[in-house]
């Protein structure tokens, strides 16, 4: 499960007021929920795009801290997808993920990578000399 921060001064509930509807718009019908660190996340058990086996997404709340977007994309093996003749679906899957994450966080792929790098560098358990 990956968690994404919003841009400074922005809040997830302002960017995506209806999380379930937004998730369904990008990925398909919500088929259930799953608990993650005390939060109920939406499960898309049969995503519209054949690249995905399952998607879990929703809001991760941590009391006094800002909410984060929690997402897990379970993807099928690329060779299987291509063998089924769904090569175009791979590009569509990448686009859907990036557009959803941009809408939710206000950060493009480059900004999300940089933020992820900074969080790893700030982690006291991360040994840079290793």
């Amino acid at each position: 499960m990956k968690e994404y921060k919003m841009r400074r001064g922005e809040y997830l509930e302002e960017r995506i007021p209806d999380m379930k509807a937004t998730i369904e718009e990008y990925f398909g019908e919500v088929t259930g929920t799953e608990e993650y660190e005390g939060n109920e996340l939406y499960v898309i058990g049969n995503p519209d795009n054949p690249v995905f086996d399952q998607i879990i997404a929703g809001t991760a709340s941590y009391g006094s801290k800002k909410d984060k977007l929690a997402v897990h994309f379970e993807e099928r093996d690329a060779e299987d997808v291509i063998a089924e003749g769904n090569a175009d679906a791979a590009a569509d899957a990448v686009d859907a993920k990036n557009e959803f994450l941009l809408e939710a966080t206000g950060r493009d792929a480059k900004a999300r990578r940089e933020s992820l790098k900074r969080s790893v560098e700030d982690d006291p358990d991360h040994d840079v000399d290793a």
Side-chain angles (χ1 to χ4, degrees), residues 100-111:
F100 173 71
L101 293 170
L102 176 61
E103 181 176 345
T105 67
R107 296 173 178 218
D108 63 11
K110 181 179 177 183

Side-chain angles (χ1 to χ4, degrees), residues 43-87:
V43 176
I44 298 89
N46 189 17
D48 291 343
N49 188 307
V51 169
F52 300 116
D53 265 338
Q54 178 178 350
I55 299 168
I56 302 168
T59 303
S61 299
Y62 295 103
S64 62
K65 294 182 181 179
K66 281 174 57 171
D67 292 348
K68 294 181 181 180
L69 175 69
V71 183
H72 174 71
F73 295 103
E74 192 173 308
E75 298 180 15
R76 297 178 53 225
D77 186 43
E79 291 177 6
D80 293 343
V81 174
I82 292 168
E84 292 172 355
N86 290 321

Side-chain angles (χ1 to χ4, degrees), residues 27-49:
F27 305 112
E29 184 181 349
V30 169
T31 56
T33 61
E34 184 173 300
E35 185 179 327
Y36 170 72
E37 296 188 5
N39 300 286
E40 286 292 315
L41 304 181
Y42 297 107
V43 176
I44 298 89
N46 189 17
D48 291 343
N49 188 307

